Amino acid sequence: MTATVAATGQQSDTPAFKHQSRGRWLDKWEPDNTEFWESGGKLTARKNLIFSVFAENLGFSVWVIWGTVVTSMGLAGFDFLAGLGKGNPTAVSNALLLTSTPTLVGAALRIPYTFAIPKFGGRAFTAFSAAMLLIPTLGLAYFVNQPGTPMWVFMVLAALAGFGGGNFSSSMANISFFFPEGKKGAALGINAAGGNLGVAQTQLVLPLLITLGTHLMAKDPAGYRFGITLSVLVWVPFVLVATFGALRYMDSISTAKSDGKSYKLALTNRHTWVMSFLYIGTFGSFIGFSFAFPTLIKANFPELTKIGWITTLGNLAFLGALVGSFSRPFGGWVSDKVGGAKITVIVFGGMSVACGLIMAALEMKSFPLYLAAFLMLFVLTGIGNGSTYRMIPSIFSAEAKKYASEHGMDISEATASARRQAGAAIGVIGAIGASGGYLLQQALRLSNINFGSMNPAFWTYAAAFLVMAGVTWFFYLRSSFAIGRVPSLAYAKV
């Protein structure tokens, strides 16, 4: 099943709508009706978008906490991460295991979180999903102050941080109901970018707070434990505000309903799985490298920690997620101009080159080149996230139009069906794409364990990105596809 809203006509006997600041159940919601939208629907949609972005941003912030926390836990007295700053292979492996676990759990939660919106309503579930973030934050704040805590306890807490990853799907599904078709893309882009920025802000703020904690206490294990506690508890007041704000001000749409037929059709459509594969390369790379970047900096350039650069380097890790978040809307915008498939092919080619530059930087032991190559990679993942998301509705629309012309169906009915199937496919594609972040980090971990180097993993990424470029060309740019089998595809600018 996936969440969809029944199609509404352009004419209504009572199109006017009165906006209210307090949250409620909306029994009538017709965003595609211009009079309805302008009379109050627009304000209500924007209100819900604001609170959705806030809650989703916190979800990403908590989801990625472990990417930064693990870099200080060895100094806080936890032996399983001791020596991370000296490139200890065991510590690096354990760190990547802890950072990849939230990625996997967050990916798995994306599908059930999508279905929860029609079941419980956007207001209630947004409040619930925000409140769930208290469990991994308070849990980590408690157990990090117990020096004898075994690694498996932190593995459980890392898994619980995956709640933040699931928030993306419920938030995107909820906001998709509020906006008309012509404004849905921009609204979803803002919602997604606002969430992605949570990664950058966490990687900027946490190292500063950990450093502050150690200066307030002492540069010993107890001081680092205090700093980690401070960096985790800082999110708790914001989580409480997001929970309260959602309950008081957000709305739920009663006509939002699950559409099992569209979900089944999407699962049997080969393009759902092709796009899932491509999204592993774009979003999977973005989230996987975002989680791993602080660990990679500390593990691959341990000598820099000896001259007091560790705080600066910890903060530089946030730049990757920042540029990747801001480039995502650009990817959607440029895809509207020249076509999502063309941009996606260019993106994957560029990502392969970026991996080559990263390996060159490691060989040369050049941190400036290493950072520049990673920022290039992050920018491309953001553009690719936008371009692949742009491709999905266009692909389903083109196929629906082709099917309608061949079987004498009404074109408007086919288009409505395509929108529902695209919505269903996005839920599946998003979940599989996020799981790519787990696979990427595990490749880094296994490469480090078995070869004593991360170069084999980066060679694998470079080759995989070229394969993905080829898959994109094969399915969506060949003239036999774009002109022959799906005549409307070129017009749709896949």
Side-chain angles (χ1 to χ4, degrees), residues 285 289 347-359 377 440 454-470:
S285 296
F289 282 125
V347 161
F348 281 132
M351 289 171 67
S352 184
V353 171
C355 286
L357 292 174
I358 290 170
M359 288 182 285
L377 183 62
L440 182 146
M454 296 184 186
N455 275 4
F458 282 104
W459 277 115
T460 302
Y461 302 149
F465 295 145
L466 291 178
V467 170
M468 291 172 178

Coordinates of all heavy atoms in Angstrom, one line a residue, residues 285 289 347-359 377 440 454-470:
S285 N 24.7 7.1 -1.4 CA 26.0 7.7 -1.3 C 26.0 8.9 -0.4 O 26.9 9.1 0.5 CB 26.6 8.0 -2.7 OG 26.8 6.9 -3.5
F289 N 28.1 8.4 3.0 CA 29.3 9.2 3.2 C 29.1 10.2 4.3 O 30.1 10.6 5.0 CB 29.7 9.8 1.9 CG 30.4 8.9 1.0 CD1 30.0 8.7 -0.3 CD2 31.6 8.2 1.4 CE1 30.6 7.9 -1.2 CE2 32.2 7.3 0.5 CZ 31.7 7.2 -0.8
V347 N 26.0 13.0 -13.5 CA 26.3 12.9 -12.1 C 27.1 11.6 -11.8 O 28.1 11.7 -11.1 CB 25.0 12.9 -11.3 CG1 25.2 12.3 -9.9 CG2 24.5 14.3 -11.2
F348 N 26.6 10.5 -12.3 CA 27.4 9.2 -12.0 C 28.8 9.2 -12.6 O 29.7 8.7 -12.0 CB 26.6 8.0 -12.5 CG 25.4 7.7 -11.6 CD1 24.1 7.4 -12.2 CD2 25.6 7.5 -10.3 CE1 23.1 7.1 -11.3 CE2 24.5 7.2 -9.4 CZ 23.3 6.9 -10.0
G349 N 28.9 9.8 -13.8 CA 30.3 9.9 -14.3 C 31.2 10.8 -13.4 O 32.3 10.4 -13.2
G350 N 30.6 11.9 -13.0 CA 31.4 12.8 -12.1 C 31.7 12.1 -10.8 O 32.8 12.3 -10.2
M351 N 30.8 11.3 -10.2 CA 31.0 10.7 -9.0 C 32.1 9.6 -9.1 O 32.9 9.5 -8.2 CB 29.7 10.0 -8.5 CG 28.7 11.0 -8.0 SD 27.1 10.2 -7.7 CE 27.5 9.2 -6.2
S352 N 32.2 9.0 -10.2 CA 33.3 8.1 -10.5 C 34.7 8.8 -10.5 O 35.7 8.3 -9.9 CB 33.1 7.3 -11.8 OG 34.1 6.3 -12.0
V353 N 34.7 9.9 -11.1 CA 35.9 10.7 -11.2 C 36.3 11.2 -9.7 O 37.5 11.2 -9.4 CB 35.7 12.0 -12.1 CG1 36.9 12.9 -11.9 CG2 35.5 11.5 -13.5
A354 N 35.3 11.6 -9.0 CA 35.5 12.1 -7.6 C 36.2 11.0 -6.8 O 37.1 11.2 -6.0 CB 34.2 12.5 -6.9
C355 N 35.7 9.7 -6.9 CA 36.3 8.6 -6.2 C 37.8 8.4 -6.6 O 38.6 8.1 -5.8 CB 35.5 7.3 -6.5 SG 33.9 7.2 -5.7
G356 N 38.1 8.6 -7.9 CA 39.5 8.5 -8.3 C 40.3 9.6 -7.7 O 41.5 9.3 -7.3
L357 N 39.8 10.8 -7.5 CA 40.5 11.9 -6.9 C 40.7 11.6 -5.4 O 41.7 11.9 -4.8 CB 39.8 13.2 -7.1 CG 39.7 13.8 -8.5 CD1 38.8 15.0 -8.6 CD2 41.1 14.1 -9.0
I358 N 39.7 11.0 -4.8 CA 39.9 10.6 -3.4 C 41.0 9.6 -3.2 O 41.8 9.7 -2.3 CB 38.5 10.0 -2.8 CG1 37.5 11.1 -2.7 CG2 38.8 9.4 -1.4 CD1 36.1 10.6 -2.4
M359 N 41.1 8.6 -4.1 CA 42.2 7.7 -4.0 C 43.5 8.3 -4.2 O 44.5 8.0 -3.6 CB 41.9 6.5 -5.0 CG 40.8 5.6 -4.5 SD 40.5 4.2 -5.6 CE 39.7 5.0 -7.0
L377 N 32.1 15.1 -4.6 CA 31.3 13.9 -4.5 C 29.9 14.3 -3.9 O 28.8 13.9 -4.4 CB 32.0 12.8 -3.7 CG 31.2 11.5 -3.6 CD1 31.0 10.9 -5.0 CD2 32.0 10.5 -2.8
L440 N 27.3 0.9 1.6 CA 28.6 1.7 1.4 C 29.5 1.7 2.6 O 30.7 1.5 2.4 CB 28.2 3.2 1.0 CG 29.3 4.1 0.7 CD1 28.8 5.1 -0.4 CD2 29.7 4.9 1.9
M454 N 41.3 1.5 2.5 CA 39.9 1.7 1.9 C 39.9 1.9 0.4 O 38.9 2.1 -0.2 CB 39.3 3.0 2.6 CG 39.1 2.8 4.1 SD 38.3 4.1 4.9 CE 38.4 3.7 6.6
N455 N 41.1 1.8 -0.2 CA 41.2 2.0 -1.6 C 40.3 1.0 -2.4 O 39.6 1.4 -3.4 CB 42.6 1.9 -2.1 CG 43.3 3.3 -2.0 OD1 42.7 4.2 -1.5 ND2 44.6 3.3 -2.4
P456 N 40.3 -0.3 -2.0 CA 39.5 -1.3 -2.7 C 38.0 -0.9 -2.7 O 37.3 -1.1 -3.7 CB 39.7 -2.6 -2.0 CG 41.1 -2.5 -1.4 CD 41.2 -1.0 -1.1
A457 N 37.5 -0.3 -1.6 CA 36.1 0.1 -1.5 C 35.9 1.3 -2.5 O 34.9 1.3 -3.2 CB 35.8 0.6 -0.1
F458 N 36.8 2.2 -2.6 CA 36.6 3.4 -3.5 C 36.7 2.9 -5.0 O 36.0 3.5 -5.8 CB 37.6 4.5 -3.2 CG 37.2 5.3 -2.0 CD1 37.9 5.1 -0.7 CD2 36.2 6.2 -2.0 CE1 37.5 5.9 0.4 CE2 35.8 7.0 -0.9 CZ 36.5 6.8 0.3
W459 N 37.6 2.0 -5.3 CA 37.6 1.4 -6.6 C 36.3 0.8 -7.0 O 35.8 1.0 -8.1 CB 38.7 0.4 -6.8 CG 40.1 1.0 -7.0 CD1 41.2 0.9 -6.2 CD2 40.5 1.7 -8.1 NE1 42.3 1.6 -6.7 CE2 41.9 2.1 -7.9 CE3 39.9 2.2 -9.3 CZ2 42.6 2.8 -8.9 CZ3 40.6 2.9 -10.2 CH2 42.0 3.2 -10.0
T460 N 35.7 0.1 -6.0 CA 34.4 -0.5 -6.2 C 33.3 0.5 -6.5 O 32.5 0.4 -7.4 CB 34.0 -1.4 -5.0 OG1 35.0 -2.4 -4.8 CG2 32.7 -2.1 -5.3
Y461 N 33.4 1.6 -5.7 CA 32.4 2.7 -5.9 C 32.5 3.3 -7.3 O 31.5 3.5 -8.0 CB 32.6 3.8 -4.9 CG 32.5 3.4 -3.4 CD1 33.2 4.1 -2.4 CD2 31.7 2.4 -3.0 CE1 33.1 3.7 -1.1 CE2 31.6 2.0 -1.7 CZ 32.3 2.7 -0.7 OH 32.3 2.3 0.6
A462 N 33.8 3.6 -7.7 CA 34.0 4.2 -9.0 C 33.4 3.3 -10.1 O 32.8 3.8 -11.0 CB 35.5 4.4 -9.2
A463 N 33.6 2.0 -10.0 CA 33.1 1.1 -11.0 C 31.6 1.0 -11.0 O 30.9 1.1 -12.0 CB 33.7 -0.3 -10.8
A464 N 31.0 1.0 -9.8 CA 29.6 0.9 -9.6 C 28.9 2.2 -10.2 O 27.8 2.1 -10.8 CB 29.2 0.8 -8.1
F465 N 29.5 3.3 -10.0 CA 28.9 4.6 -10.5 C 28.9 4.6 -12.0 O 27.9 5.1 -12.6 CB 29.6 5.8 -9.9 CG 29.5 6.0 -8.5 CD1 30.5 6.5 -7.7 CD2 28.3 5.6 -7.8 CE1 30.4 6.6 -6.3 CE2 28.2 5.8 -6.4 CZ 29.2 6.3 -5.7
L466 N 29.9 4.0 -12.6 CA 29.9 3.9 -14.1 C 28.9 2.9 -14.6 O 28.2 3.2 -15.6 CB 31.3 3.5 -14.6 CG 32.4 4.5 -14.4 CD1 33.8 3.9 -14.9 CD2 32.1 5.8 -15.1
V467 N 28.7 1.9 -13.9 CA 27.6 0.9 -14.2 C 26.2 1.6 -14.1 O 25.4 1.4 -15.0 CB 27.6 -0.3 -13.3 CG1 26.4 -1.2 -13.4 CG2 28.9 -1.2 -13.6
M468 N 26.0 2.4 -13.1 CA 24.8 3.1 -12.9 C 24.5 4.1 -14.0 O 23.4 4.3 -14.5 CB 24.7 3.8 -11.5 CG 24.6 2.8 -10.4 SD 24.8 3.6 -8.8 CE 24.6 2.1 -7.7
A469 N 25.6 4.8 -14.5 CA 25.5 5.7 -15.6 C 25.0 4.9 -16.8 O 24.2 5.4 -17.6 CB 26.8 6.4 -15.9
G470 N 25.6 3.7 -17.0 CA 25.2 2.9 -18.2 C 23.8 2.4 -18.1 O 23.1 2.4 -19.1

